Amino acid sequence: MRVLLLCIPGRGRFEVLAPLAGALQQAGHAVRFAAPPRFAQHVRRMGFECLEAGAETDELNALLDAQLAENGTAAMPASERAATMFTRLYPERLLAMLLPQLRDWRPALVLHEEGEFAGPLVAALVGARCATVGWPVAMRPLQVLQNVTQRMDAQWQAQGLQPPPYAGLYQRFIDTCPPTLQTEAAAAFPGAWALRPELVDAPPGSAADALPEALLQPGEPVVHLTLGTVDAYNQAPALLLRLLDGLQREPVRVVLTTGAALQSLDFSRYANVHASAFIPHRQLLPHCDAVICHGGAGSTIAALAHGLPLLIVPRGGASQYRNAVHCERVGAGLHLSEEAATAQAVGPAVAALLHQPGHREAARRLQQEIAAMPAPADCAERLQAWLH
């Protein structure tokens, strides 16, 4: 069968879909993503065919700025800006570029990650079935989803279609969130299929730093510090330095991954810190004892899949706050607001993660729960049976 996969351009969004896409491809199905030209290059490096459609996030920001300036409108709040970009500008660009290409390649199934809202509409327009693959994060509150629905209804009506409930989102829900972390919002969509979230390797030929040799030797506990791969969240040098100031006072070894943007910073004054641009989680996390991150879906689920407790300092994303709250709720982590993440607060929080056994035990329970979730190959078989 032909399967079309849709995600907002970004590694974290792509990685929600990639394991299932790989399983479908390995089972012999014809799999294609759709993505704007720059991100399409990443998709192809990861081994998938890709139709070029949609717009990069920087293009959406520029388009919105131009529209605001033309209308003489003041700057939008961040939440309104994101809603406009991803319920109006991105769907419009995606549909205009993608639908002509689907005349010659008509999918039987459309899979989209839960933050890409046009997937159900694309499926309806080409006569395909659609499934929503959730992030490995507690679902957004229903009132937020209803706001998305109201905005997306206009897109359905513009295509001459009657909008379905929730704009078609989650009508077949594939849930990658560990059940213990999921919230009552998911109960609005009964019959969800569980899918184990899995780590995705970097593209072949990617520049990755070697694992520090010192980590392979016995010594103090190892703490991994990362603010993820998204520029909007990881370019926070003042926050990183505060966190490192706090960790400098603790008997720990710190592995900091900064991404390319902050490589020029000098971390040499921190004797217990090894700074790298990028080390794959699959290589690094088996040697770690705790993780400090911003609550991004990829960083958080990678830590939990390795049974590691977390200190989460959200950087503004709504899903980051949900991760922070629910990891703390189940005992697998602690969280600090960015303002509260001072050098004086970070050390005691990390010490609690390392030395109060309840946090590690809760993280290991989640590790076992994740490992027991159905594999992508199982979900691929279930999707094939569903279509037939």
Side-chain angles (χ1 to χ4, degrees), residues 94-116:
L94 178 75
L95 292 170
M97 298 175 69
L98 179 60
L99 291 177
Q101 300 179 70
L102 297 185
R103 296 188 190 117
D104 298 323
W105 194 87
R106 188 170 291 268
L109 173 65
V110 175
L111 297 175
H112 71 114
E113 49 88 8
E114 68 171 284
E116 192 286 320

Side-chain angles (χ1 to χ4, degrees), residues 15 40 52 77 79 84 104 119 130 157 183 195 231 256 258 262 271 278 291 312 327 357 364-365 379 388:
E15 289 173 4
E52 294 190 0
S79 58
T84 301
D104 298 323
C130 183
Q157 292 160 355
T183 65
L195 171 64
D231 287 348
L256 167 67
T258 63
L262 297 182
F278 172 68
V291 171
I312 297 179
C327 284
R364 285 179 173 167
R365 286 194 296 270
C379 190
H388 295 89

